[in-house]
Amino acid sequence: MIALVRSELYRMATIRSSWVSIAVFGVLGALFGAVNVDAWALLAGMGAFGFGVLGVSQHFQHRTAVLLYLARPNRLTTLLGQLLAGIVVALAFAAVSGVTVLAKGDLTQYRNTLTVVPLLAVFGAANAAVLRRPTWLFLGYAGWFVFVEGLLGRLTAPLPFSSFLGAAGGDRTSLLVAAAWTLLALLAAALAIHRDVTTD
């Protein structure tokens, strides 16, 4: 398991699009944190979700999934390693990008955001294991966030991103709802991970 997590982290560090995205989001997060703590929390959550999605979907995007599953036939263990790697990257990104939040002395928001970031990373990775196409996933959830959760739910309904935002603000009920959405996504991923990959 440790070797799998290490190889996933190495892959993320050596693929240019991954480390450039992490660096750009890290700088933006630090700038946002200096201006507005809530904006940093939103960016940290979006980054965690995105890194989780990319960590899993890049194997399908770059056509390495078949080789990965031939080398590691237990797909659930492989998915678990990818989830752990996504958590490590998301936590490191949020912790570093939030240095300006810490400098402002807002320890509560920093801690709450770091608590919910692993859930967002796992939620993103689990969704990627089901859908396997990052562009569709990002566009679909962008529309969902704006129209369903933003316009219809006013970011207060117990929906995935609204609950993640509430949890980052310190609401314990929202944290439980966010954990339930993450668990639901994990169950879907566990069922979908055994699908054939030759047509993806």
Side-chain angles (χ1 to χ4, degrees), residues 38 61 68 106 109 111-112 116 129 144-145 151 153 195:
D38 291 328
Q61 193 177 17
L68 175 68
D106 200 337
Q109 181 75 43
R111 184 187 64 238
N112 290 338
V116 77
W144 170 271
F145 180 75
L151 295 177
R195 289 190 345 247

Side-chain angles (χ1 to χ4, degrees), residues 6 14 16 23 27 46 48 56 61 84 94 122 142 144 151 165 178 185:
R6 190 184 304 127
T14 53
R16 184 183 306 154
V27 171
M46 288 172 33
V56 173
Q61 193 177 17
L84 291 174
V122 170
W144 170 271
L151 295 177
L165 287 173

Side-chain angles (χ1 to χ4, degrees), residues 1-79:
M1 179 62 67
I2 294 174
L4 176 59
V5 173
R6 190 184 304 127
S7 69
E8 287 295 311
L9 291 174
Y10 177 78
R11 183 179 59 82
M12 286 185 188
T14 53
I15 294 176
R16 184 183 306 154
S17 62
S18 294
W19 63 260
V20 168
S21 299
I22 293 170
V24 169
F25 267 79
V27 171
L28 282 175
L31 292 174
F32 281 20
V35 176
N36 186 302
V37 175
D38 291 328
W40 165 76
L42 179 62
L43 186 71
M46 288 172 33
F49 176 78
F51 299 143
V53 168
L54 290 177
V56 173
S57 64
Q58 279 179 338
H59 280 293
F60 300 100
Q61 193 177 17
H62 298 155
R63 309 288 187 195
T64 59
V66 173
L67 296 175
L68 175 68
Y69 293 144
L70 284 174
R72 301 180 186 281
N74 188 334
R75 292 189 183 187
L76 287 177
T77 303
T78 301
L79 178 63

Side-chain angles (χ1 to χ4, degrees), residues 2 5 35 44 50 56 71 93-94 102 142 154-156 169:
I2 294 174
V5 173
V35 176
V56 173
F93 157 73
L102 279 179
R154 303 287 182 199
L155 296 179
T156 57

Side-chain angles (χ1 to χ4, degrees), residues 142-163:
W144 170 271
F145 180 75
V146 171
F147 295 108
V148 176
E149 297 201 28
L151 295 177
L152 296 177
R154 303 287 182 199
L155 296 179
T156 57
L159 297 170
F161 293 104
S162 300
S163 60

